[in-house]
Amino acid sequence: MQNIWAVQTQAQAAPEAWTVPVHPAAGAMGAYVDEVDLGALDAAGLDQVRRLLHRFKAVMFRGQRPDLSWEDYVAFGRHFGELAIDPYVEPALPEHPEVMGLIREADTTGYNFGGDWHSDGSYLAQPGGLTILWGSDVPPFGGDTLFSNLELAWHQLSPAYRSMLDGRRCLHAATGLGTKAPITRKGDYASVNFDHELTRIEHFHPIKRTHPETGGHSLFVNQAYSVQIEGCTEDESAGILKFLFDWSASPAMTARLRWEPNAILVWDNRTTAHYAIGDYGGFRREMYRLAVTGERPE
Ligand code: SIN
């Protein structure tokens, strides 16, 4: 039987020299980083941000300037590639359609955006690369974002299980979105049913995904969008996927990142799944999201 505690933790991995304070969030992944002004990165700073993301996969950059402009925020995102504009959501800021508002008022009940394990847009032909989230108004407690390290999840599988999955593809579909209420206007959440062409988008992707920059391998399936393994019957696929979803969400694979004011969180959807915890009823949470378009998974 696989010993889940035999994970290669961040502490065991070879230490790297960072020029700023880095505080690992958990053994599996995730870090808090201080003293990096994302609005004023030079080439060396940008290189360090990339390396931090390769190593920790989800990094919360604390203590950002409260007066960081939208232009600086968008420019930071553009360092990593093209910024996606969601055609189904009315932009929160008409002059910056690539910025998506995720706003939940203190008295909102019901649907919690991102409240299931997912990698952003994995149903797309080119799923999300990096996602960037600016916590503009964060609850005093609650509303944390959970992450799962899909690279660790791949490597901790037994060689026999990995060889069964290697070379196979899984269908990712947006059908799950159809059961939820969408964001309709400026980051508000509507309580209507979602029957939209978006919910009919689906694509096959390799289960063992290779990161284009590091060459690392990840277990690229997630509970929200991965629906069936190619070549398996529905029952066979359901059993395998259930195991993989539970496996990748097991505590030793995860980290919980706690929000604080003036923080910007960046994560890599190629190597992680995430889960927005909706446990902050009574408090407002206002976030602004950028989605960097990724590549076709290989
Ligand atoms: C998301 O799933 O993209 C949102 C994550 C969050 O609000 O913490």
Side-chain angles (χ1 to χ4, degrees):
M1 186 170 152
Q2 183 85 356
N3 175 9
I4 193 164
W5 298 108
V7 295
Q8 163 86 353
T9 63
Q10 292 182 150
Q12 291 163 330
E16 283 200 49
W18 309 109
T19 63
V20 288
V22 174
H23 309 279
M29 62 167 296
Y32 300 94
V33 171
D34 300 326
E35 297 176 25
V36 173
D37 180 352
L38 298 183
L41 283 176
D42 58 12
L46 190 58
D47 178 61
Q48 178 160 250
V49 168
R50 283 187 209 284
R51 286 187 295 108
L52 284 163
L53 285 166
H54 292 161
R55 169 80 181 276
F56 295 103
K57 300 177 174 48
V59 181
M60 186 175 283
F61 294 93
R62 300 188 290 202
Q64 296 303 304
R65 277 185 277 137
D67 62 348
L68 185 76
S69 68
W70 293 115
E71 287 72 24
D72 285 344
Y73 184 49
V74 169
F76 168 68
R78 289 217 175 101
H79 284 308
F80 302 98
E82 191 187 330
L83 297 179
I85 297 178
D86 192 323
Y88 305 103
V89 177
E90 184 175 328
L93 314 165
E95 65 284 18
H96 294 294
E98 56 283 89
V99 179
M100 185 199 270
L102 300 178
I103 302 160
R104 194 174 161 96
E105 298 298 342
D107 58 357
T108 304
T109 54
Y111 177 54
N112 174 43
F113 183 87
D116 48 11
W117 282 109
H118 65 287
S119 299
D120 286 336
S122 75
Y123 46 81
L124 298 170
Q126 290 176 245
L130 299 187
T131 299
I132 303 169
L133 209 54
W134 181 357
S136 163
D137 187 6
V138 301
F141 53 86
D144 299 345
T145 309
L146 284 179
F147 286 91
S148 146
N149 180 343
L150 299 182
E151 231 175 60
L152 192 57
W154 174 260
H155 288 286
Q156 290 301 121
L157 288 169
S158 66
Y161 211 97
R162 281 203 303 264
S163 69
M164 177 182 78
L165 299 175
D166 200 350
R168 299 228 153 264
R169 300 192 306 169
C170 183
L171 185 65
H172 294 242
T175 40
L177 292 171
T179 59
K180 299 170 186 171
I183 310 171
T184 53
R185 298 178 64 78
K186 300 187 181 344
D188 291 338
Y189 297 88
S191 57
V192 293
N193 272 335
F194 198 30
D195 178 21
H196 203 283
E197 61 187 278
L198 168 64
T199 64
R200 291 184 276 283
I201 299 176
E202 54 181 35
H203 285 93
F204 281 100
H205 296 306
I207 294 175
K208 181 179 93 173
R209 181 174 183 180
T210 305
H211 195 284
E213 292 158 17
T214 66
H217 296 140
S218 292
L219 176 66
F220 193 61
V221 293
N222 65 81
Q223 190 155 23
Y225 305 132
S226 304
V227 292
Q228 192 164 354
I229 296 176
E230 190 175 35
C232 290
T233 65
E234 228 172 275
D235 282 353
E236 288 167 346
S237 170
I240 296 169
L241 285 177
K242 170 152 186 3
F243 168 73
L244 295 178
F245 298 155
D246 290 348
W247 174 248
S248 54
S250 51
M253 306 289 173
T254 68
R256 178 175 184 136
L257 292 198
R258 174 145 200 210
W259 283 94
E260 57 178 68
N262 301 320
I264 293 180
L265 175 59
V266 187
W267 67 84
D268 193 338
N269 289 290
R270 304 161 178 113
T271 52
T272 61
H274 60 280
Y275 187 124
I277 307 177
D279 62 346
Y280 53 96
F283 297 115
R284 190 163 190 278
R285 188 175 187 264
E286 177 177 344
M287 321 296 269
Y288 290 96
R289 188 170 89 143
L290 297 174
V292 182
T293 303
E295 63 292 324
R296 194 176 281 272
E298 288 183 357

